[in-house]
Amino acid sequence: SQQGEEDPQALSIQEGENATMNCSYKTSINNLQWYRQNSGRGLVHLILIRSNEREKHSGRLRVTLDTSKKSSSLLITASRAADTASYFCATDAVSNTGKLIFGQGTTLQVKP
Amino acid sequence: DADVTQTPRNRITKTGKRIMLECSQTKGHDRMYWYRQDPGLGLRLIYYSFDVKDINKGEISDGYSVSRQAQAKFSLSLESAIPNQTALYFCATSDPGTSGSYEQFFGPGTRLTVL
């Protein structure tokens, strides 16, 4: 069963706009991770946020975590055409440490 | 050179054939994973191994088997391939590192088609 569910499933924006993707999960977690996948390629780790953190930044990426709502969001600011990809959240559940459960992903298209 | 490699990258086979997908890593990680990806379903865990002697079933292990030949090698076998095993297969590795967080590193994937 999928731990994470992502919203929206697809997102299309213009270059320079911000993109926000949301992830909801079901069980208590150690951390939540976001990955990026370019079409047909392997996933690449973007950022990790621990259960005791509420916000984290990395370059143009901003991740928030609300453990009371069991949800996270990924914000990409000032998007570029090269940000076009699928983005997945993955949770490391307290009951299954080190075994990630992935969401279904959000497909982002950034139009030049 | 890539840290996590998979062979073959593409494979077309027929129903009933046995096929093996191989994964090798140079990261020195103890933990290795096999996932399959289907359109709209994200990644689903097939098998995982926390060390050479520790192999566990994942979410969708039926029809698959694995072998951990060494720390660096983890193979996935389809004993008798069927068309609904057509998918993109990924190998991944992880290690707790200094932070204790299991970030995963993925191979490039194997696109398998079963006719």
Side-chain angles (χ1 to χ4, degrees), chain A residues 1-2 35 37 41 50 98, chain B residues 33 37 41 59 99 101 104:
Chain A
S1 62
Q2 297 288 343
Y35 288 78
Q37 182 183 32
R41 299 197 170 189
R50 292 186 174 79
Chain B
Y33 310 79
Q37 184 177 33
L41 292 180
E59 189 183 354
S99 64
S101 300
Q104 293 192 7

Side-chain angles (χ1 to χ4, degrees), chain A residues 66-85:
Chain A
D66 186 336
T67 53
S68 67
K69 294 181 180 178
K70 291 186 168 58
S71 67
S72 174
S73 66
L74 171 68
L75 169 68
I76 303 174
T77 60
S79 64
R80 305 167 182 169
D83 294 328
T84 295

Side-chain angles (χ1 to χ4, degrees), chain B residues 21-41:
Chain B
L21 309 183
E22 299 187 345
C23 176
S24 294
Q25 54 118 344
T26 58
K27 299 188 76 66
H29 290 171
D30 284 328
R31 298 188 173 200
M32 298 186 73
Y33 310 79
W34 275 105
Y35 295 91
R36 68 176 275 176
Q37 184 177 33
D38 298 276
L41 292 180

Side-chain angles (χ1 to χ4, degrees), chain B residues 11-113:
Chain B
R11 181 72 182 265
I12 299 173
T13 192
K14 294 182 178 180
T15 297
K17 294 290 187 181
R18 183 178 188 274
I19 184 167
M20 178 181 288
L21 309 183
E22 299 187 345
C23 176
S24 294
Q25 54 118 344
T26 58
K27 299 188 76 66
H29 290 171
D30 284 328
R31 298 188 173 200
M32 298 186 73
Y33 310 79
W34 275 105
Y35 295 91
R36 68 176 275 176
Q37 184 177 33
D38 298 276
L41 292 180
L43 273 71
R44 292 183 291 168
L45 183 63
I46 306 172
Y47 270 95
Y48 62 103
S49 171
F50 283 177
D51 66 41
V52 174
K53 297 180 181 179
D54 180 26
I55 293 177
N56 305 279
K57 293 182 177 181
E59 189 183 354
I60 53 164
S61 59
D62 287 348
Y64 301 95
S65 62
V66 291
S67 172
R68 185 81 184 267
Q69 301 94 322
Q71 185 199 42
K73 296 184 182 296
F74 192 34
S75 300
L76 176 72
S77 293
L78 287 67
E79 298 301 326
S80 180
I82 56 177
N84 77 0
Q85 291 178 313
T86 293
L88 192 53
Y89 289 84
F90 288 104
C91 173
T93 72
S94 73
D95 184 86
T98 55
S99 64
S101 300
Y102 291 92
E103 169 190 348
Q104 293 192 7
F105 297 84
F106 283 79
T110 294
R111 186 169 297 280
L112 176 66
T113 302

